[in-house]
Amino acid sequence: MARNSTLTARLGYIDTQATFVQAALLAAHGAGARAGGFRVSDVRFFFLLFTNWVEHDVTRPSQDIDLTQVRRTLERLVRAGHAEAVGTGAGVKGLPRGRRYVLTGEGLCSLAEGLAARERAPLEEALFGVCFAASYRDAVLSRVEGRARAPSAAVRRRVERALDP
């Protein structure tokens, strides 16, 4: 039986999306550090970019993610202590808009390890995982954790191990 990723088990995403959602969260975290965190739209951008890399936009056009799904995912990560919301914004239906987010050390490790733990992933996702690790590992490791803190040595080692191509 295939092992579900951390994001799949915790947030209910179908297994085929979890790889790209986890990668999108990690990439958005890495890219958003200079701006004081990443936005919901940043996660969706990376999700679409990564699914385009493996041509899921052509072969599986129904596998998209909308901003509400990303926002709810981030709010769940905040409640679980895997992310922090930085900034405020007025919300619609209880969902905050205009917020920026950063991953905590535990969130960073959990997402990286979940992405790496996909032993029985389809070939294109396995290859994507290796390419992602080779391309984004240093960016993810060099970015802030929480409110402008560098990742601890233990977090850094766990993420380095998980994202070793």
Side-chain angles (χ1 to χ4, degrees), residues 5 8 24 30 34 42 55 75 90 121 137 142:
S5 66
T8 302
R34 289 191 180 112
D42 298 332
E55 297 184 349
E75 288 304 311
R137 181 182 187 206
S142 68

Side-chain angles (χ1 to χ4, degrees), residues 29 104-110 112-113 136-145 149-164:
H29 173 79
T104 63
E106 186 56 36
L108 198 59
C109 291
S110 178
E113 289 168 350
Y136 283 87
R137 181 182 187 206
D138 291 340
V140 169
L141 287 169
S142 68
R143 301 305 184 224
V144 298
E145 170 206 325
R149 293 186 308 263
S152 69
V155 166
R156 185 172 183 81
R157 280 191 303 276
R158 282 178 65 189
V159 174
E160 281 178 340
R161 193 170 33 255
L163 294 181
D164 184 358

Side-chain angles (χ1 to χ4, degrees), residues 109-131:
C109 291
S110 178
L111 290 169
E113 289 168 350
L115 185 62
R118 309 237 333 127
E119 313 80 35
R120 296 190 182 192
L123 178 62
E124 72 269 9
E125 288 185 40
L127 291 174
F128 166 79
V130 172
C131 290

Side-chain angles (χ1 to χ4, degrees), residues 1-23 25-26 73 77 82 109-122 125:
M1 177 179 240
R3 179 178 172 207
N4 285 339
S5 66
T6 303
L7 192 64
T8 302
R10 290 195 177 139
L11 303 175
Y13 278 99
I14 59 172
D15 205 31
T16 55
Q17 279 188 322
T19 297
F20 302 106
V21 173
Q22 288 172 321
L25 286 162
L26 289 168
T73 299
L77 290 172
H82 289 217
C109 291
S110 178
L111 290 169
E113 289 168 350
L115 185 62
R118 309 237 333 127
E119 313 80 35
R120 296 190 182 192
E125 288 185 40

Side-chain angles (χ1 to χ4, degrees), residues 95-106:
L95 297 173
R97 295 187 180 269
R99 277 193 178 175
R100 290 189 175 269
Y101 298 86
V102 291
L103 297 175
T104 63
E106 186 56 36

Side-chain angles (χ1 to χ4, degrees), residues 55-120:
E55 297 184 349
H56 278 201
D57 58 334
V58 175
T59 61
R60 301 176 191 175
S62 63
Q63 282 193 336
D64 194 1
I65 192 168
D66 63 38
L67 294 175
T68 299
Q69 289 173 300
V70 175
R71 194 173 294 113
R72 287 178 179 158
T73 299
L74 285 165
E75 288 304 311
R76 286 182 191 129
L77 290 172
V78 168
R79 284 192 301 273
H82 289 217
E84 291 180 6
V86 269
T88 60
V92 175
K93 296 182 185 178
L95 297 173
R97 295 187 180 269
R99 277 193 178 175
R100 290 189 175 269
Y101 298 86
V102 291
L103 297 175
T104 63
E106 186 56 36
L108 198 59
C109 291
S110 178
L111 290 169
E113 289 168 350
L115 185 62
R118 309 237 333 127
E119 313 80 35
R120 296 190 182 192

